[in-house]
């Protein structure tokens, strides 16, 4: 099916009543996958869609979709999948999939490569900060144009915790639904037990603080990816599957953890006393980076020019591009020569 086919089918389902004379409601959800480069985002999307394909490197921002009926004789729900490539080097592209038109049905999946703990916090912090700033700008505009929708979105994220939850005033929920996935579990599982404990506790805290669901699973757990897609689209409750043992795969739906269960940051009281932090999140960051110092890296420098990638080679396009590059260089030389020859008035 093409996008036009999907659009026509959706309109027909909404406009034409079913056998009981009731209008058929079609759930539609948009999901942005982002995270470390080569962290497994494409693989997770393919598993969600149950597609047996070999993952290919993501170029900038890519889109696909899936449809599924969760019950017999019911309309198929539609999921729009966006995937941001390049790690943290293409942050400006986040504003493309998240708009005021789809903000009510948008969710974010942050995929963190557990095999690279020294890049974990930096990647997470940059991606979530830029996404949050963009969403907040949309909400600010909606407060003026459609205040009811803005209030609904904000209240929905505050409601992930009951008001009598002891952490209700201590957390700072992400403005839209968020799922954090720890990938490369097979490598992570071989880490020293203490290292796994520090990483797991930190991810539990961050997820709880942002009101996110946390998953640290093996890629082979197909049941999870089906439930993930179902949860994000239909907002179902999977609280019965909760698992918090750091020595095993983790699965903690939003709102089912607590600071008392997570415990204090994994550091001695003496070390914590020396750390100056204004927020709990900042304290956990300093404790985590004491064990896993952030690696100095630059995604921009590592990003290869797609035009030079052989997998995207197209003879006619490449010939035309080479010609235009020559014309551009000639234009630059002529412009530079003209600039130098210009006679400026000293006044």
């Amino acid at each position: 099916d093409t996008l036009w086919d999907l659009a026509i089918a959706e309109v027909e389902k909404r406009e034409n009543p079913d056998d009981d004379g009731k209008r058929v409601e079609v759930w539609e959800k948009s999901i942005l996958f982002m995270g470390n480069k080569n962290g497994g985002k494409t693989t997770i999307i393919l598993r969600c869609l149950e597609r047996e394909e070999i993952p290919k490197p993501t170029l900038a921002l890519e889109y696909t979709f899936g449809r599924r009926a969760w019950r017999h004789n019911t309309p198929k729900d539609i999921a729009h999948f966006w995937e941001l490539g390049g790690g943290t080097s293409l942050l400006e592209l986040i504003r493309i999939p998240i708009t005021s038109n789809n903000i009510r049905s948008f969710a974010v999946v942050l995929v963190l490569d557990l095999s690279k703990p020294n890049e974990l916090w930096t990647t997470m912090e940059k991606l979530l900060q830029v996404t949050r700033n963009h969403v907040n700008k949309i909400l600010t505009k909606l407060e003026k144009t459609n205040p009811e929708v803005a209030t609904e979105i904000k209240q929905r994220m505050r409601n992930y915790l009951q008001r009598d939850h002891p952490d209700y005033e201590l957390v700072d929920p992400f403005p839209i639904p968020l799922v954090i996935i720890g990938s490369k579990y097979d490598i992570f599982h071989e880490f020293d037990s203490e290292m796994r404990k520090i990483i797991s506790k930190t991810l539990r805290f961050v997820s709880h603080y942002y009101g996110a669901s946390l998953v640290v699973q093996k890629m082979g757990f197909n049941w999870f990816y089906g439930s993930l897609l179902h949860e994000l689209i239909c907002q179902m409750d999977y609280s019965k599957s909760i698992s918090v043992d750091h020595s095993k795969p983790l699965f903690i739906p939003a709102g089912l953890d607590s600071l008392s269960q997570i415990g204090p940051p994994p550091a001695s009281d003496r070390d914590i006393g020396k750390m100056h932090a204004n927020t709990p999140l900042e304290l956990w960051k300093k404790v985590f980076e004491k064990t896993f110092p952030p690696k100095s890296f630059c995604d921009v420098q590592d990003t290869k020019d797609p035009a030079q990638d052989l997998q995207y080679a197209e003879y006619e396009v490449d010939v035309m591009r080479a010609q235009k590059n020559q014309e551009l260089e000639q234009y630059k030389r002529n412009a530079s020569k003209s600039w130098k020859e210009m006679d400026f008035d000293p006044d």
Side-chain angles (χ1 to χ4, degrees):
D1 292 340
T2 66
L3 288 177
W4 284 114
D5 294 330
L6 288 175
I8 293 173
E10 180 184 352
V11 171
E12 289 179 348
K13 289 178 181 178
R14 291 183 176 180
E15 293 183 349
N16 299 327
D18 59 14
D19 295 338
D20 298 327
K22 298 179 181 179
R23 290 188 180 277
V24 177
E25 184 177 7
V26 178
W27 285 89
E28 188 169 355
K29 198 81 173 184
S30 297
I31 308 170
L32 171 63
F33 282 76
M34 57 187 185
N36 295 91
K37 290 189 299 184
N38 303 316
K41 300 183 291 297
T42 305
T43 300
I44 294 174
I45 292 176
L46 292 176
R47 288 189 180 276
C48 284
L49 297 176
E50 297 181 354
R51 294 180 184 172
E52 297 295 332
E53 301 176 15
I54 299 176
K56 297 180 180 179
T58 301
L59 177 63
L61 182 67
E62 296 190 1
Y63 168 82
T64 188
F65 66 90
R67 295 191 297 173
R68 177 177 296 179
W70 298 104
R71 292 178 298 278
H72 185 60
N73 290 331
T74 59
K76 292 184 178 181
D77 298 322
I78 303 173
H80 305 278
F81 290 89
W82 295 88
E83 181 182 356
L84 179 68
T88 60
S89 65
L90 301 171
L91 296 174
E92 68 278 3
L93 296 181
I94 288 176
R95 60 185 175 82
I96 295 176
I98 310 178
T99 67
S100 57
N101 294 326
N102 63 14
I103 190 69
R104 296 176 68 182
S105 60
F106 210 98
V108 172
V109 176
L110 175 63
V111 182
L112 299 174
D113 187 342
L114 299 182
S115 69
K116 302 175 181 178
N118 298 85
E119 299 179 11
L120 189 149
W121 193 285
T122 301
T123 299
M124 173 187 66
E125 186 175 52
K126 287 184 178 181
L127 289 170
L128 292 184
Q129 183 178 27
V130 172
T131 305
R132 180 168 216 159
N133 290 342
H134 175 62
V135 171
N136 286 338
K137 289 181 180 179
I138 293 177
L139 293 178
T140 300
K141 293 181 180 179
L142 284 176
E143 288 176 348
K144 299 177 181 179
T145 59
N146 199 335
E148 293 183 357
V149 172
T151 301
E152 173 194 332
I153 294 173
K154 292 181 179 180
Q155 190 60 44
R156 179 181 62 190
M157 295 314 299
R158 288 301 309 183
N159 289 342
Y160 92 95
L161 278 184
Q162 299 295 326
R163 286 189 174 274
D164 58 353
H165 194 289
D167 304 334
Y168 187 80
E169 298 296 336
L170 301 177
V171 297
D172 186 16
F174 206 68
I176 55 179
L178 172 66
V179 175
I180 297 178
I181 296 179
S183 65
K184 307 290 182 70
Y185 181 84
D186 53 338
I187 299 177
F188 169 73
H189 190 63
E190 299 299 322
F191 284 3
D192 175 76
S193 175
E194 190 62 28
M195 291 176 62
R196 293 202 312 269
K197 182 178 180 180
I198 294 174
I199 296 173
S200 297
K201 288 189 64 174
T202 300
L203 288 179
R204 283 182 63 185
F205 170 80
V206 170
S207 299
H208 182 59
Y209 184 80
Y210 283 127
S213 296
L214 173 64
V215 181
V216 178
Q217 299 277 5
K218 296 179 181 178
M219 282 294 186
F221 285 8
N222 293 322
W223 65 267
F224 158 69
Y225 296 106
S227 66
L228 167 65
L229 182 58
H230 198 168
E231 178 183 9
L232 289 177
I233 295 177
C234 302
Q235 299 177 344
M236 299 295 288
D237 181 13
Y238 288 89
S239 57
K240 295 181 180 180
S241 304
I242 186 171
S243 174
V244 297
D245 187 347
H246 74 271
S247 64
K248 301 177 181 179
L250 300 177
F251 184 70
I252 311 174
L256 297 183
D257 214 338
S258 68
L259 296 178
S260 60
Q261 294 179 15
I262 297 172
S268 65
D269 293 340
R270 182 178 180 181
D271 289 337
I272 292 179
K274 296 179 180 180
M275 298 177 181
H276 301 285
N278 296 321
T279 65
L281 186 67
E282 187 177 345
L283 176 61
W284 276 82
K285 175 183 178 180
K286 291 187 175 183
V287 171
F288 183 82
E289 291 187 342
K290 189 177 188 302
T291 303
F292 303 103
K295 181 180 178 181
S296 177
F297 66 96
C298 179
D299 284 332
V300 177
Q301 294 179 354
D302 292 339
T303 302
K304 297 181 180 179
D305 182 358
Q308 307 301 324
D309 196 326
L310 294 179
Q311 70 172 321
Y312 304 114
E314 293 187 32
Y315 178 74
E316 294 181 355
V317 174
D318 293 340
V319 170
M320 181 60 68
R321 179 183 177 88
Q323 178 182 334
K324 293 300 180 182
N325 284 339
Q326 291 178 358
E327 294 176 0
L328 177 60
E329 291 301 320
Q330 184 61 44
Y331 173 81
K332 289 180 179 179
R333 288 193 292 268
N334 293 340
S336 177
K337 183 178 180 181
S338 300
W339 177 268
K340 294 178 181 179
E341 294 176 351
M342 291 180 68
D343 184 17
F344 291 97
D345 188 341
D347 295 334

